[in-house]
Amino acid sequence: MSTADDKNRKAPAGERVADWADGRLGIYGLAKANMRKIFPDHWSFMLGEIALYSFIIIILTGVYLTLFFHPSMNEVEYHGGYVPLQGVMMSEAFASTLDISFDVRGGLLIRQIHHWAALIFLAAMLVHMMRVFFTGAFRKPREINWLFGFLLFVLGMFTGFTGYSLPDDLLSGTGVRFMQGAVLSVPVVGTYLSMFLFGGEFPGGDFVARFYSVHILLLPGIMLGLVVAHLILVFYHKHTQFAGPGRTNRNVVGMPLLPVYMAKAGGFFFLVFGLIVIVSAIATINPIWSIGPYRPDQVSTGAQPDWYMGFSEGLIRVMPGWEINFAGHTLVLGVFIPLIIFPLVLVAIAVYPFVESWVTGDKREHHILDRPRNAPTRTAFGVAWLTWYFVLLVGGGNDLWATHFHLSINAITWFVRVAFFAGPVIAFIVTKRICLGLQRRDAEKVLHGRESGVIKRLPHGEFVEVHTPLEQGDLHKLTAHEQYKPAEIGPTVDENGVERKVSPGEKLRAKLSEGYYGEGSQIPKPTAEEYKEITSGHGHH
């Protein structure tokens, strides 16, 4: 027998299995290269983890719910555990949802966890995207990962919509009817799209089964692939970090993936899971038994979509009911125009990293994050978008605002119409001024230090406050950001007197660059000479 056979015979069974797997999959080399990967320690990086853990909880609870849900619109007479609806005709989908809620052990809690986790998942994704946006983490080489995150958010919205439409209750049915009306407003093909979705005239007999397939197979499958791709790119590009001593574009300062980060991440997962369970146990959401099954001749009062779809409904609610006749066809512009604005705004968010890269002309890799105040124009754009979003969210719930605060629904609608245009502009201007004010304060801190509250009297009788100089780490933090210079068109006539043709794109880029980085758009950082002059005693106290 060979020496190699002796070694294999003496090795423990677990070690032999590990050697066998490593010889075919290269697990050891892969783990050795990545398990000690460094992750920075900052609370804002946990927002993405909340989204990831919520997604895992959604998958786990969704698998459980599929075991008991019947995606059928066949009518049955209910004889389950909820007495007030016994004998009522309803679809199998609604009846099975009632069975999950009242007759399956733990079913109602699992339903609530699934719904709350979906809401938290989308909220965490939105906040995570805003963190990435405001800190400039989308810059090269992470533009593709930004697109992956954007697609996850959009797909999550539609996955949520198809999910809360499945019980076939009066509330979700009203939302589906609303969607069908929006689809019908599409010129020429709207009626065909509606017939395709619903298998005939609304509500048809197929939409629950079709939404079910989309909800549990198509969209989650795509999202799972995007999540994996997103995490792979996070590993590949290494993590971003905030500026600080010893932190550069070529390193990451933090803790290793194993064992520190994995231990913290594991604990954080159970913390997120526990909080979602607590919320689900004490806060009822989507009580379909008190709403009843869907009937096309009825509508639920106070019908509202989940928050992430509220702004799309707000667009349609506050849009004037314009209609025009064109070539013998009636075009419902009051619905069709919002239907066009909705995806255009989302696409604008998706392509923003490429727009900013074009404006700056910066093709370098960036692994150090910006403080939002140091990118006033970008921060102002982000706040303007959020303002626009929340204004439309008010429009999407104009009836509830009217009833709860005893206001006129017409007054609320007109407020939203005006704020739709004025709100983002005001938010942009105010945010930019706040950012510039914070930059000025940082510059003062760098030059003069922090106010100590100690008053000192000088020999000639003047009273001054003693300022404490900043530590080197704080000085680095306040001065590490980069300040771009506006792009210039340059001379349009060469040395031979020949005029150079300036393209419209070049002119547009110069104007945008001036708006981003021109005078009044950023406060110059204190120079080393200014700092030396102040600290040498020739400047202020």
Side-chain angles (χ1 to χ4, degrees), residues 160-414:
F161 174 77
T162 54
Y164 71 64
S165 300
L166 291 180
D168 197 29
D169 59 291
L170 188 57
L171 178 62
S172 68
T174 303
V176 174
R177 180 61 164 169
F178 181 91
M179 182 209 72
Q180 192 249 358
V183 170
L184 284 176
S185 72
V186 179
V188 183
V189 298
T191 52
Y192 295 96
L193 289 174
S194 176
M195 296 288 281
F196 171 75
L197 281 173
F198 297 97
E201 290 291 340
F202 180 86
D206 299 327
F207 88 82
V208 168
R210 293 179 179 183
F211 278 22
Y212 182 72
S213 299
V214 170
H215 180 71
I216 71 164
L217 292 175
L218 180 62
L219 294 180
I222 297 173
M223 291 176 69
L224 192 59
L226 287 172
V227 167
V228 172
H230 189 75
L231 294 177
I232 288 174
L233 286 180
V234 169
F235 265 78
Y236 177 70
H237 291 144
K238 75 184 182 182
H239 214 294
T240 54
Q241 59 187 345
F242 286 97
R247 299 177 183 179
T248 69
N249 268 318
R250 298 186 177 183
N251 71 351
V252 179
V253 178
M255 52 192 173
L257 179 63
L258 278 179
V260 182
Y261 189 82
M262 285 297 291
K264 294 179 72 173
F268 191 47
F269 169 76
F270 288 107
L271 179 62
V272 172
F273 203 161
L275 286 174
I276 291 177
V277 171
I278 291 173
V279 171
S280 304
I282 64 176
T284 300
I285 190 169
N286 198 22
I288 62 165
W289 52 88
S290 65
I291 300 171
Y294 178 67
R295 285 181 49 178
D297 60 335
Q298 294 181 353
V299 65
S300 176
T301 57
Q304 304 293 316
D306 282 338
W307 70 267
Y308 49 86
M309 296 297 287
F311 75 104
S312 59
E313 179 158 336
L315 274 170
I316 295 180
R317 286 198 185 192
V318 304
M319 180 74 187
W322 295 341
E323 290 185 0
I324 62 172
N325 291 315
F326 179 77
H329 297 277
T330 300
L331 300 182
V332 187
L333 299 182
V335 180
F336 182 62
I337 290 177
L339 204 63
I340 296 298
I341 294 175
F342 173 61
L344 286 179
V345 172
L346 293 177
V347 169
I349 299 168
V351 302
Y352 180 85
F354 304 96
V355 173
E356 185 172 304
S357 175
W358 175 66
V359 171
T360 61
D362 188 358
K363 306 301 179 184
R364 298 167 301 163
E365 289 193 3
H366 292 272
H367 302 290
I368 299 295
L369 298 173
D370 289 332
R371 298 173 79 204
R373 67 185 64 180
N374 294 328
T377 305
R378 180 205 300 153
T379 303
F381 273 128
V383 174
W385 183 85
L386 289 174
T387 301
W388 182 84
Y389 180 92
F390 285 113
V391 164
L392 288 179
L393 205 57
V394 172
N398 56 0
D399 53 339
L400 293 185
W401 283 88
T403 55
H404 282 65
F405 295 98
H406 308 289
L407 300 171
S408 164
I409 193 168
N410 290 327
I412 295 172
T413 301
W414 273 105

Side-chain angles (χ1 to χ4, degrees), residues 134 372-373 375-387 423-439:
F134 287 126
R373 67 185 64 180
T377 305
R378 180 205 300 153
T379 303
F381 273 128
V383 174
W385 183 85
L386 289 174
T387 301
V425 175
I426 295 171
F428 182 91
I429 294 171
V430 171
T431 302
K432 194 170 181 180
R433 289 182 64 87
I434 291 173
C435 289
L436 293 175
L438 292 173
Q439 283 189 34

Side-chain angles (χ1 to χ4, degrees), residues 30-251:
L30 186 66
K32 186 177 181 180
N34 292 292
M35 290 299 100
R36 298 294 293 176
K37 191 174 181 67
I38 301 299
F39 281 82
D41 188 12
H42 192 274
W43 67 267
S44 65
F45 299 143
M46 301 171 75
L47 297 170
E49 292 183 39
I50 295 175
L52 175 63
Y53 301 154
S54 301
F55 183 67
I56 294 172
I57 294 167
I58 292 169
I59 297 295
L60 293 176
T61 54
V63 169
Y64 182 82
L65 293 174
T66 57
L67 301 176
F68 305 98
F69 182 72
H70 301 294
S72 170
M73 296 182 70
N74 294 331
E75 276 205 315
V76 296
E77 186 175 337
Y78 180 69
H79 294 288
Y82 187 66
V83 176
L85 287 179
Q86 285 186 358
V88 175
M89 298 298 294
M90 60 185 65
S91 65
E92 284 189 65
F94 188 85
S96 65
T97 308
L98 287 178
D99 289 339
I100 292 172
S101 302
F102 295 102
D103 300 314
V104 174
R105 186 178 296 274
L108 180 58
L109 179 61
I110 298 297
R111 267 195 66 221
Q112 301 250 124
I113 293 173
H114 190 72
H115 203 140
W116 275 114
L119 297 180
I120 293 171
F121 170 61
L122 282 151
M125 274 203 295
L126 178 63
V127 179
H128 176 60
M129 284 182 67
M130 290 298 100
R131 195 278 299 175
V132 170
F133 180 86
F134 287 126
T135 59
F138 54 75
R139 292 173 295 179
K140 183 181 178 182
R142 297 177 178 82
E143 300 98 330
I144 294 177
N145 224 9
W146 168 264
L147 291 178
F148 284 168
F150 167 78
L151 288 174
L152 275 169
F153 181 69
V154 174
L155 291 176
M157 288 169 52
F158 287 102
T159 306
F161 174 77
T162 54
Y164 71 64
S165 300
L166 291 180
D168 197 29
D169 59 291
L170 188 57
L171 178 62
S172 68
T174 303
V176 174
R177 180 61 164 169
F178 181 91
M179 182 209 72
Q180 192 249 358
V183 170
L184 284 176
S185 72
V186 179
V188 183
V189 298
T191 52
Y192 295 96
L193 289 174
S194 176
M195 296 288 281
F196 171 75
L197 281 173
F198 297 97
E201 290 291 340
F202 180 86
D206 299 327
F207 88 82
V208 168
R210 293 179 179 183
F211 278 22
Y212 182 72
S213 299
V214 170
H215 180 71
I216 71 164
L217 292 175
L218 180 62
L219 294 180
I222 297 173
M223 291 176 69
L224 192 59
L226 287 172
V227 167
V228 172
H230 189 75
L231 294 177
I232 288 174
L233 286 180
V234 169
F235 265 78
Y236 177 70
H237 291 144
K238 75 184 182 182
H239 214 294
T240 54
Q241 59 187 345
F242 286 97
R247 299 177 183 179
T248 69
N249 268 318
R250 298 186 177 183
N251 71 351

